[in-house]
Amino acid sequence: MAKVKKISEFVVDRDLEKCIKCQACVRMCSNDVHIYDEEFDIVRNDNSKCVGCHFCESICPTEAIEIKRNTSDIKENYHWKKEYIVDIQKQAETGGVILTGMGCDKHYKNYFDHILLNASQVTNPSIDPLREPMELKTFIGRKPDRIEYEFKNGNLILKTKIPPQLELETPIMFSAMSFGSISLNAMKSLAKAAKDFGTYWNTGEGGLPEELYEYADRCIVQVASGRFGVNIDYLEKAGAIEIKIGQGAKPGIGGHLPGEKVTEQISKTRMIPEGTDALSPAPHHDIYSIEDLKQLIFALKEATSYKKPVGVKIAAVHNVAPIASGIVRAGVDYIVIDGVRGGTGAAPKIIRDNVGIPIEIAIAVVDQRLREEGIRNNASIIAAGGFRKSSDVIKAIALGADAVYIGTAALISLGCHLCQKCYTGKCNWGIATQDPYLTKRLNPEIGAKRVYNLLRAWSLEIKEMLGGMGINAIESLRGNREQLRGIDLNEIELKMLGIKHAGEAW
Amino acid sequence: MVKRIIIREEYCIGCRLCEVHCITKHSKTKDIIKTYKGHEPKPVSGIYFEELGHISFAIQCRHCEDAQCIEACLTGAMYRNENTKAVLHNKEKCIGCWMCVMVCPLGVIKIDKENKKVASKCDLCIEEGFPACVENCPNEAIILVNEKGERIEK
């Protein structure tokens, strides 16, 4: 047969009237889309290489470039989408697994978009957050069953020993993105923003680079199946320790950082030889049961003298509620649940798009189950996976989460345009790459400011929404599902989410 | 007030937009497309881009304290502005002997053959107020600081 020509996803539309041939696009594109033709003195393009990251568009001084979707379409239909046809063509060519980055982008119902918030009218007053205090402070960690205290000389003395807690100024943290999957400058931006704002960032499974030790107190360190970079300093420097079992984008799948990304710095941080592939096994080979998990939790607690919260991160899967119950009973201080929309640097597309359940339902069922069993106070719930805006955050908290992790949203504030090519290591924005030509494009001073602004903006919006509901502390909204109503949802969906349909009164 | 341009090579992404904007700001029209596509000859950039592998930076006149170009200048075309301490160049007085080009230790004075046979260099955009390269660097690799080393933003 004739070879099938690769269909370009995007087309570079260059306005030659405006193009001054400064060649900034030629120098900047890591995918070599723009080519300068000396003979004809013109900048040309190779559309087949364009990933749609829009870096050239933003760097062009005369706005001469526009990246458009390729409208020359193959005949797709409802069942045979263009994407599937193109994927088959690719696989016929290569015989390989199709990789992708970021979170699941498929059509599954987005429950956040089917939940509406409440507001106060007449019978209870709403609160103006600009005039009255509004509390977003959140504590992550095990809460005691009951509080014992006494009065001594008019002072309240707390007799109950409170387990270690993470204190957050806003219920938003940065999710785990490892050194290797993202650049040091991207990590530094997140770390600085977290420290400045008073929240936490997460090292991911790739260890804590020495350059970021100054931000270690505001950092959650991961212990994952590959055990990269885990040593006693790593554990002792951190604010909290997180055992990573799974990830929303690829539940049940391990990780693979290709050798070319394992630079000297990464090899030092991960404690593996330079240039070798960093393989994270799919399971932890010392955890085949809840009892095994308990051993690791207490080994980590013992190693850090019970001074730090220890959490477990799992992907939201079908049995998430009973699994979460088991994890809480194993003695964690917090549990992270990562939904189907959770992002990744690299995952097989078929896994990312087909495995796991939506985070909205997972939060609701886990919160419900832990409440029914009377162990909800034993651990905080952190929700992760696809939080796009502040209303998603507040809805997750009303469904029962204590705080949320944002990953993709934070990266978008750093310049990410969701081209989903993180796995290629050619990120033009300097985020998902280790190439020294590209990593310096992310100035952490600018990055930290932008991520900080995002946290500030979302926090202000959350305060506005809380004020509207007549609530002056995020604590009072936690698990307060009466503030939520479903729309366009069937009975079983409403039951799973534990919310009433729009129109139903208290 | 003494202002200085600081270059931070670790953030220079090598796009060379500083050159484009320097040329535009010193052109007659100050319009980027007209500067590049019009009939008037383009001015010479006052900022010079250097790269080796992934390391790159753009450098312009450092406005040295003991400026050798001023000493070497036969006609007094190269002079120091007493207020800003910037080393400036008077094109009317310049005769094009290019001694300044010879003595400049950084090679940041260039011969402007197109316009007039005179030297061309960074003037800190004194007339325009804020340096074009600082204003337009997409990654803040070129910044402006005051005498205390504090950053000045537009």
Side-chain angles (χ1 to χ4, degrees), chain A residues 220-435:
Chain A
I220 297 173
V221 297
Q222 271 197 346
V223 175
S225 60
R227 298 284 197 275
F228 297 119
V230 179
N231 56 49
I232 191 64
D233 281 348
Y234 175 74
L235 301 176
E236 275 176 352
K237 278 189 165 59
I241 302 164
E242 189 172 292
I243 300 166
K244 181 200 174 185
I245 302 291
Q247 182 179 343
K250 41 179 173 178
I253 298 276
H256 179 180
L257 187 74
E260 60 258 35
K261 282 194 183 179
V262 182
T263 59
E264 188 200 337
Q265 224 174 358
I266 290 178
S267 89
K268 225 174 113 192
T269 309
R270 291 205 177 210
M271 309 192 311
I272 54 169
E274 197 177 329
T276 54
D277 289 11
L279 293 162
S280 298
H284 285 247
H285 283 298
D286 52 355
I287 303 176
Y288 283 11
S289 66
I290 290 288
E291 290 75 14
D292 290 345
L293 178 66
K294 188 171 187 169
Q295 284 191 8
L296 182 59
I297 293 168
F298 281 90
L300 292 170
K301 286 192 173 191
E302 196 70 44
T304 51
S305 318
Y306 295 84
K307 282 183 188 149
K308 294 172 201 299
V310 174
V312 168
K313 177 177 181 177
I314 54 163
V317 288
H318 301 176
N319 275 332
V320 66
I323 295 167
S325 165
I327 292 172
V328 173
R329 285 167 196 281
V332 290
D333 297 282
Y334 70 87
I335 170 164
V336 184
I337 302 162
D338 197 5
V340 68
R341 305 262 174 207
T344 178
K349 193 161 156 189
I350 211 77
I351 302 284
R352 184 198 74 174
D353 291 347
N354 293 285
V355 183
I357 64 168
I359 188 63
E360 304 90 322
I361 290 177
I363 304 165
V365 295
V366 169
D367 179 66
Q368 193 62 32
R369 177 76 173 241
L370 298 184
R371 277 170 198 274
E372 280 166 8
E373 295 182 1
I375 53 172
R376 178 65 181 84
N377 64 306
N378 286 0
S380 298
I381 300 175
I382 301 173
F387 290 90
R388 305 156 296 171
K389 46 190 194 278
S390 55
S391 64
D392 291 354
V393 175
I394 204 165
K395 285 169 190 172
I397 289 170
L399 281 172
D402 286 85
V404 305
Y405 266 155
I406 58 165
T408 305
L411 296 188
I412 292 173
S413 75
L414 290 176
C416 169
H417 277 57
L418 245 77
C419 74
Q420 306 182 329
K421 293 287 186 291
C422 326
Y423 64 95
T424 61
K426 286 185 177 178
C427 178
N428 266 316
W429 292 91
I431 301 168
T433 178
Q434 302 303 327
D435 183 343

Side-chain angles (χ1 to χ4, degrees), chain A residues 16-24 27-28 55 59-62 185 435-437 440-446 449, chain B residues 8-17 20-21 32-33 36-37 49 51 53-56 138-141 151 153:
Chain A
L16 293 177
E17 296 254 302
K18 286 183 178 169
C19 177
I20 57 167
K21 293 168 269 187
C22 67
Q23 298 171 47
R27 278 189 292 274
M28 291 293 100
F55 193 79
I59 209 90
C60 178
T62 58
N185 282 347
D435 183 343
Y437 282 94
K440 61 179 178 173
R441 293 187 189 177
L442 181 55
N443 179 342
E445 289 172 16
I446 306 175
K449 228 183 284 172
Chain B
R8 303 192 290 179
E9 144 269 317
E10 69 270 32
Y11 302 137
C12 175
I13 66 176
C15 64
R16 303 182 76 160
L17 287 184
V20 172
H21 289 280
I32 187 164
I33 295 172
Y36 273 79
K37 303 201 145 209
F49 177 76
E51 73 181 325
H54 68 270
I55 295 164
S56 62
N139 207 28
E140 297 181 10
R151 193 153 155 201
E153 281 176 73

Side-chain angles (χ1 to χ4, degrees), chain B residues 50-112:
Chain B
E50 305 282 348
E51 73 181 325
L52 181 67
H54 68 270
I55 295 164
S56 62
F57 59 87
I59 191 167
Q60 62 288 83
C61 171
R62 301 282 92 201
H63 303 276
C64 311
E65 277 179 19
D66 64 337
Q68 294 177 29
C69 53
I70 297 180
E71 278 182 34
C73 186
L74 298 173
T75 61
M78 201 67 82
Y79 67 103
R80 189 181 298 279
N81 180 308
E82 284 311 313
N83 288 334
T84 60
K85 306 284 179 216
V87 176
L88 299 180
H89 176 249
N90 184 341
K91 285 193 176 176
E92 302 304 317
K93 284 190 185 174
C94 179
I95 54 168
C97 71
W98 302 333
M99 281 305 287
C100 51
V101 179
M102 298 263 297
V103 298
C104 177
L106 294 161
V108 290
I109 307 177
K110 286 274 153 79
I111 302 160
D112 187 353

